[in-house]
């Protein structure tokens, strides 16, 4: 009998940012691998249409919530673990980006980006790390960071600060949560085509697009390239991997 590698059967995977781009691709991949997916983002219509497009759509759950708020949708999350079961994986793909030179960076803008990209990742992981919320056989947390947390780019200071924070924080958290069999890793993509990058400043001109493409020796990636890695990291096949940052960038940072 062939072995069912990378199966997510009987696993419940929470995915923030599941209404679009990378999070949506992760939701599809996890559902295809047999998981029940909890899709979290703000936009109800896009969440619903994503859910409808998933394999065995009826079994998946949506939560509409704004992660800019200080409060998590804790009541709704608790209901899910009480009624559906405990969480085996969490992919934090919710995020916002900006291209702003230092003279335009404000405390308010920095704080908003920090809330969505970093604080919500920490708060959701904190919620999940309670014994009544994560599966006793183990759990995998994947925060989507970025190569901008590792290398620099002009006018990316706000975004880079948040992504570097995820990469650094995940290492300490991996050590703290290892006794609970909770693994914590980051994934750092280069540029992949998504609604976020379609709106990016460099994508508004031919010169900008060509420059970004030239920085990726294998060309630009797709959301599925990132979802493949996330699927691996929430599967049992990655059971010995924690505290690492998996770079998926078509060679951008190889130089
Ligand atoms: N695309 C790339 O090239 C690339 C490269 C490196 C890293 N990343 C990272 O990958 C992640 C996903 O990016 P993407 O390209 O898939 O972007 P995207 O298509 O814009 O998706 C972002 C997701 O985050 C959700 N979101 C944004 N603000 C939110 C809030 N306040 N509360 C709840 N959900 C919120 C959005 O849903 P709603 O609008 O429905 O709330 C959406 O589902 C981000 O962290 C990004 O920084 C992307």
């Amino acid at each position: 009998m062939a072995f069912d590698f990378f199966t997510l059967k009987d696993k419940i995977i929470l995915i923030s940012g599941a209404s679009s781009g990378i999070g949506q691709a992760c939701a599809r991949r996890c559902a295809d691998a047999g998981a029940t997916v909890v899709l979290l983002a703000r936009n109800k219509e896009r969440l619903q249409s994503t859910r409808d497009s998933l394999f065995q759509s009826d079994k998946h759950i949506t939560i509409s919530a704004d992660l800019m708020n200080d409060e998590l949708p804790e009541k709704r999350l608790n209901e899910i673990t009480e009624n559906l079961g405990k969480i085996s994986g969490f992919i934090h793909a919710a995020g916002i980006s900006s291209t702003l030179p230092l003279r335009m960076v404000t405390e308010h803008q920095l704080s908003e980006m920090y809330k969505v990209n970093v604080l919500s990742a920490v708060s959701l992981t904190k919620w999940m790390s309670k014994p009544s919320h994560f599966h006793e056989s183990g759990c995998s947390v994947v925060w989507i960071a970025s190569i901008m947390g590792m290398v620099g780019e002009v006018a990316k200071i706000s975004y880079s600060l948040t992504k570097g924070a995820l990469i650094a924080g995940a290492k300490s958290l991996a050590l703290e949560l290892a006794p609970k069999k909770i693994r914590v890793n980051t994934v750092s993509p280069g540029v992949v085509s998504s609604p976020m990058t379609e709106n990016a400043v460099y994508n508004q001109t031919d010169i900008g697009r060509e420059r970004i493409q030239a920085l990726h020796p294998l060309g630009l990636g797709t959301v599925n390239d990132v979802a493949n890695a996330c699927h691996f990291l929430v599967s049992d096949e990655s059971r010995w991997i924690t505290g690492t940052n998996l770079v998926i960038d078509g060679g951008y940072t190889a130089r």
Side-chain angles (χ1 to χ4, degrees), residues 107-155:
E107 202 177 311
H108 176 70
Q109 175 265 331
L110 260 182
S111 134
E112 293 210 321
M113 186 164 290
Y114 193 76
K115 269 189 189 167
V116 179
N117 292 4
V118 183
L119 269 186
S120 67
V122 175
S123 306
L124 284 164
T125 306
K126 188 174 172 184
W127 170 83
M128 218 198 58
S129 67
K130 291 185 184 154
S132 52
H133 297 158
F134 72 94
H135 203 279
E136 41 286 348
S137 67
C139 184
S140 171
V141 175
V142 182
W143 291 343
I144 309 292
S146 164
I147 53 167
M148 288 298 110
M150 304 162 56
V151 296
E153 179 62 89
V154 172

Side-chain angles (χ1 to χ4, degrees), residues 69-249:
N69 289 342
D70 293 333
E71 301 288 320
L72 281 184
E74 212 163 331
K75 189 163 169 279
R76 185 90 176 91
L77 286 164
N78 291 345
E79 276 167 14
I80 287 167
T81 47
E82 277 155 26
N83 301 325
L84 211 63
K86 295 181 178 179
I87 308 285
S88 293
F90 165 44
I91 301 170
H92 181 65
I96 50 177
S97 176
S98 71
T99 304
L100 281 182
L102 180 61
R103 67 175 185 282
M104 293 175 72
V105 172
T106 63
E107 202 177 311
H108 176 70
Q109 175 265 331
L110 260 182
S111 134
E112 293 210 321
M113 186 164 290
Y114 193 76
K115 269 189 189 167
V116 179
N117 292 4
V118 183
L119 269 186
S120 67
V122 175
S123 306
L124 284 164
T125 306
K126 188 174 172 184
W127 170 83
M128 218 198 58
S129 67
K130 291 185 184 154
S132 52
H133 297 158
F134 72 94
H135 203 279
E136 41 286 348
S137 67
C139 184
S140 171
V141 175
V142 182
W143 291 343
I144 309 292
S146 164
I147 53 167
M148 288 298 110
M150 304 162 56
V151 296
E153 179 62 89
V154 172
K156 280 289 179 192
I157 175 169
S158 313
Y159 186 66
S160 294
L161 280 170
T162 65
K163 296 303 183 177
L166 289 176
I167 294 167
K171 292 185 190 298
S172 290
L173 205 52
L175 298 177
E176 184 174 333
L177 297 183
K180 292 183 165 183
K181 285 201 276 186
I182 300 178
R183 301 183 289 113
V184 186
N185 293 290
T186 48
V187 164
S188 285
V191 173
V192 304
S193 176
S194 79
M196 179 183 277
T197 49
E198 273 154 35
N199 296 327
V201 173
Y202 60 78
N203 232 344
Q204 309 314 313
T205 62
D206 287 343
I207 292 176
R209 269 190 295 277
E210 281 160 20
R211 189 182 79 83
I212 290 295
Q213 268 172 15
L215 289 168
H216 296 76
L218 292 180
L220 302 188
T222 70
V223 289
N224 288 333
D225 293 320
V226 184
N228 287 338
C230 295
H231 174 191
F232 168 63
L233 285 173
V234 294
S235 77
D236 291 342
E237 275 64 38
S238 61
R239 60 172 288 278
W240 207 47
I241 301 177
T242 196
T244 199
N245 176 39
L246 178 51
V247 179
I248 306 166
D249 67 354

Side-chain angles (χ1 to χ4, degrees), residues 62-73:
T62 61
I63 304 181
S64 169
D66 186 349
L67 294 175
M68 194 85 85
N69 289 342
D70 293 333
E71 301 288 320
L72 281 184

Side-chain angles (χ1 to χ4, degrees), residues 36-79:
T36 298
V37 182
V38 180
L39 305 104
L40 191 154
R42 286 167 305 185
N43 189 295
K44 284 187 184 155
E45 289 73 31
R46 278 193 277 114
L47 274 174
Q48 192 56 43
S49 71
T50 303
R51 176 185 182 265
D52 291 345
S53 72
L54 301 185
F55 176 62
Q56 296 181 328
S57 61
D58 288 351
K59 73 175 185 179
H60 309 292
I61 310 276
T62 61
I63 304 181
S64 169
D66 186 349
L67 294 175
M68 194 85 85
N69 289 342
D70 293 333
E71 301 288 320
L72 281 184
E74 212 163 331
K75 189 163 169 279
R76 185 90 176 91
L77 286 164
N78 291 345
E79 276 167 14

